[in-house]
Amino acid sequence: MLQEAIPDLAKYVEPDRVRREVYTDPDIFELEMQRIHEKVWIYCGHETQVPKAGDYYTVQIGRQPMLMVRASDGSIHVLYNRCPHRGNMMCGDRKGNAGEFFRCSYHAWTFQHDGRLRSIPMMESGYSGTPLNKESPDCSMKRAARVENYRGFVFASLAKDGPTLKEFLGKAIVAFDDMCDRAPEGKVEIVPTCFRVIQHSNWKIFLENQLDALHPSVTHQSTGRAAHEVEKEIAKRTKKGEAPLSYHMLSAFATVTIDKWDAFQTINYPYGHCILTGYMGLRPQDPDTKAYDQLMIKAYGQKRFEEIVGVNIHHVLIYPGLSVQSQLQQLRAVRPLSVDRTLTEIWHFRLKGAPEAIYRRSLAYYNLVNSPSTLINADDLENFWKCHQGLSSDGGKWVSFARHLGRDLEKDGVVETAPNCGTSEAPMRNQMKAWAEYMRG
Ligand code: FES
Ligand SMILES: [Fe+2]
């Protein structure tokens, strides 16, 4: 039916521009949920969010309310948060522990952690002679079609067919390798609460902003300048002439000017994933970093240590739902709520085996750059809302992604921006290319 409502999707996306309805039409949003979010691999959460048997965490995949749950054998399952009896939601809380089994609050049907029916009150007398019995699938909680765990990061796909998680991630898998490899123990642990922000804009506006290297020194200039002034003042007062790294996290928005952003590079992969190379050079020589380096060398040896900390990426975008900053141990998960409302969950992680000071650095970035309490985030949110308002008007039909068009270097389906084209809109072109492929069905 939706396909009939949107007969010619091709007319909405050209290589360098997109029709505004792609962001504002509720029918297109419904089709996106069906063909993209409820099909591809979506990040559910980290395994350390559910450490004990019975622990669950709720998560939205497309339009579907889901549960990520740990079973007593240690396995993790992703289930629809719905009772098969009369449809009651199984868990009304965001997270919790179900105990030894799930028990529906309405008529006490109970289920194993993997969703299989455990009991129905007086089942024999109540259901003899009916099509329902303990084995019938209609009596169990429905599971996500596929679930995979990569280095602790749990993904689910609601489609039974499609690429494996590794095939889907391709080279963007570096987001998780880079984050985990930076831990002396080779794994990370989630900090168990996140910021949740509801943006009054379409979900794609957020994703397009993540690798938009043109905007930081414009949108965040005033915040960066103010931080830079304070940074200089503090540096003047210290013996070594240095301010804490956290000031640099903000001042870089002003000191890295537009022309400098062109020096970085984006690499654009199949399925809409993209990488932005590093810009902050997070290898300071303070005592905390040196202590961390020693632990890493002990764990991995000098050669492997150099390889690990030599990975130079600032941002990995995993389309359509995840933006990862592995070097600062954080990620933002995107959960579309409606055509003009988007939830983002902002999470950060601890490197297992690393000193507390390294965690504090991650926390500083989390609070100063990604949290809703910082001006950086507010700068972006204001743009997102204003973009959505502008796109809802009759002031124009198209959104342009033409910057540095025709200068991309393409090889084997991977598009690299040419030297000195870091502010290219190639990542947006790449995302919309994937969008169009998914939407064609
Ligand atoms: S709706 Fe769950 S037991 Fe009735
Ligand atoms: Fe921004």
Side-chain angles (χ1 to χ4, degrees):
M1 197 179 86
L2 276 166
Q3 205 160 11
E4 287 160 21
I6 310 167
D8 186 12
L9 267 171
K11 75 170 196 236
Y12 290 97
V13 185
E14 293 180 4
D16 62 334
R17 59 179 196 166
V18 176
R19 290 274 298 208
R20 71 179 181 92
E21 293 88 342
V22 164
Y23 301 84
T24 58
D25 183 333
D27 285 342
I28 291 184
F29 177 82
E30 286 297 307
L31 197 61
E32 285 174 334
M33 294 305 103
Q34 256 178 45
R35 297 205 171 154
I36 306 179
H37 290 262
E38 292 171 13
K39 249 175 130 171
V40 303
W41 289 101
I42 295 288
Y43 174 67
C44 297
H46 194 262
E47 61 181 16
T48 54
Q49 275 169 261
V50 288
K52 297 190 303 294
D55 282 349
Y56 69 83
Y57 223 105
T58 57
V59 58
Q60 185 84 9
I61 299 185
R63 297 158 301 182
Q64 313 302 322
M66 309 294 290
L67 286 170
M68 174 173 78
V69 57
R70 174 87 67 172
S72 11
D73 65 358
S75 56
I76 291 177
H77 303 271
V78 179
L79 310 171
Y80 287 76
N81 187 4
R82 177 197 192 276
C83 175
H85 178 216
R86 299 251 288 274
N88 198 25
M89 214 179 221
M90 288 302 298
C91 299
D93 292 338
R94 187 169 296 153
K95 61 177 178 162
N97 186 284
E100 284 172 26
F101 49 84
F102 287 110
R103 182 178 185 274
C104 181
S105 62
Y106 202 173
H107 314 95
W109 286 31
T110 65
F111 305 90
Q112 314 287 0
H113 295 141
D114 64 3
R116 273 178 305 134
L117 180 72
R118 179 178 167 275
S119 66
I120 294 177
M122 296 178 291
M123 182 165 191
E124 273 178 29
S125 56
Y127 287 90
S128 67
T130 77
L132 294 192
N133 60 59
K134 222 169 169 181
E135 268 66 54
S136 88
D138 288 344
C139 288
S140 287
M141 289 170 71
K142 188 176 168 183
R143 297 186 202 187
R146 295 179 296 157
V147 180
E148 283 196 43
N149 178 341
Y150 184 73
R151 298 193 75 167
F153 297 84
V154 179
F155 286 76
S157 159
L158 303 186
K160 68 179 185 353
D161 301 315
T164 64
L165 178 62
K166 275 194 179 170
E167 287 164 352
F168 170 75
L169 292 173
K171 291 267 197 281
I173 207 163
V174 69
F176 308 108
D177 287 332
D178 185 39
M179 201 190 295
C180 295
D181 289 348
R182 284 169 186 269
E185 292 177 23
K187 50 187 170 185
V188 296
E189 184 178 31
I190 201 155
V191 179
T193 45
C194 71
F195 287 121
R196 293 161 65 87
V197 179
I198 292 179
Q199 305 172 0
H200 292 257
S201 51
N202 185 265
W203 60 277
K204 296 185 292 298
I205 294 175
F206 174 84
L207 289 177
E208 285 158 8
N209 183 65
Q210 294 310 291
L211 268 66
D212 181 330
L214 184 59
H215 93 281
S217 48
V218 181
T219 299
H220 307 302
Q221 188 189 40
S222 56
T223 309
R225 260 195 211 153
H228 191 43
E229 290 306 312
V230 180
E231 186 182 32
K232 282 190 295 190
E233 277 304 309
I234 293 179
K236 250 193 253 166
R237 294 203 298 262
T238 59
K239 256 195 219 143
K240 280 191 173 172
E242 283 172 8
L245 184 68
S246 49
Y247 288 92
H248 176 61
M249 290 171 179
L250 286 179
S251 65
F253 287 100
T255 54
V256 183
T257 47
I258 292 187
D259 50 319
K260 290 187 191 145
W261 278 99
D262 253 342
F264 306 117
Q265 197 189 25
T266 62
I267 311 171
N268 302 280
Y269 297 104
Y271 298 120
H273 313 323
C274 336
I275 289 179
L276 173 67
T277 56
Y279 84 104
M280 283 203 297
L282 278 177
R283 287 197 68 182
Q285 286 302 302
D286 57 283
D288 294 331
T289 309
K290 283 184 182 158
Y292 162 74
D293 288 356
Q294 285 314 310
L295 284 170
M296 288 289 285
I297 291 165
K298 202 169 153 213
Y300 294 102
Q302 186 72 37
K303 185 165 169 278
R304 179 73 186 121
F305 161 73
E306 288 297 339
E307 274 170 19
I308 291 171
V309 295
V311 173
N312 184 27
I313 49 178
H314 181 56
H315 220 124
V316 182
L317 184 127
I318 295 168
Y319 194 77
L322 205 54
S323 156
V324 188
Q325 287 179 279
S326 48
Q327 313 215 336
L328 292 147
Q329 299 91 51
Q330 29 218 289
L331 62 78
R332 283 171 277 181
V334 181
R335 319 278 184 203
L337 303 177
S338 65
V339 72
D340 59 357
R341 271 179 10 121
T342 305
L343 167 70
T344 52
E345 296 170 6
I346 311 162
W347 293 97
H348 73 303
F349 298 82
R350 281 175 186 273
L351 298 173
K352 293 272 275 178
E356 179 69 10
I358 300 299
Y359 165 67
R360 293 269 145 200
R361 179 179 301 173
S362 166
L363 180 63
Y365 191 85
Y366 183 70
N367 284 327
L368 288 171
V369 180
N370 286 340
S371 82
S373 61
T374 160
L375 287 174
I376 298 286
N377 193 271
D379 294 337
D380 285 325
L381 288 172
E382 192 198 4
N383 278 347
F384 300 163
W385 173 72
K386 281 158 70 185
C387 273
H388 200 97
Q389 292 304 304
L391 292 174
S392 306
S393 79
D394 291 331
K397 289 190 172 63
W398 296 94
V399 171
S400 165
F401 296 135
R403 192 176 173 88
H404 289 320
L405 179 74
R407 298 195 198 133
D408 301 333
L409 310 169
E410 185 162 1
K411 198 176 164 220
D412 303 329
V414 176
V415 172
E416 294 191 6
T417 44
N420 231 22
C421 290
T423 62
S424 167
E425 283 167 338
M428 299 79 178
R429 295 194 283 273
N430 192 47
Q431 289 168 50
M432 284 318 303
K433 185 169 163 250
W435 184 90
E437 279 163 12
Y438 282 128
M439 292 293 274
R440 262 180 230 120

